[in-house]
């Protein structure tokens, strides 16, 4: 998986977590599910991003697509 996709899903996880937090503050429906989904996305794709960083041959040129 390319790094830009991992970063996109990681950012999407942050957006879902923030949205879920706002929904919980306002006591709207499905707030907990959105918050949990965002947290899972951050954890899964954060681990995959760290794995990708450590297994790259050229570590210095990693973010130079």
């Amino acid at each position: 998986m390319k790094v830009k996709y991992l970063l996109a899903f990681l950012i999407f996880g942050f957006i879902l977590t923030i949205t879920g937090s706002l929904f919980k503050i306002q006591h709207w429906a499905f707030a907990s599910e959105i918050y949990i989904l965002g947290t899972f996305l951050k954890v899964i794709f954060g681990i995959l991003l760290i794995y990708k960083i450590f297994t790259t041959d050229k570590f210095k040129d990693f973010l130079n697509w």
Side-chain angles (χ1 to χ4, degrees):
M1 184 176 277
K2 290 189 175 186
V3 177
K4 60 183 173 182
Y5 298 128
L6 290 173
L7 289 175
F9 278 113
L10 191 65
I11 291 170
F12 185 63
F14 277 107
I15 290 170
L16 281 179
T17 304
I18 292 169
T19 305
S21 298
L22 291 174
F23 279 20
K24 282 187 85 59
I25 290 171
Q26 296 178 354
H27 302 290
W28 287 1
F30 302 110
S32 296
E33 289 83 2
I34 294 172
Y35 188 79
I36 290 171
L37 179 66
T39 303
F40 280 143
L41 282 177
K42 286 191 308 186
V43 168
I44 290 170
F45 288 103
I47 290 171
L48 286 175
L49 183 65
I50 291 170
Y51 176 75
K52 180 77 172 178
I53 288 172
F54 285 130
T55 58
T56 302
D57 293 334
K58 297 180 181 180
F59 185 69
K60 292 179 182 177
D61 297 330
F62 179 68
L63 290 177
N64 294 332
W65 294 312

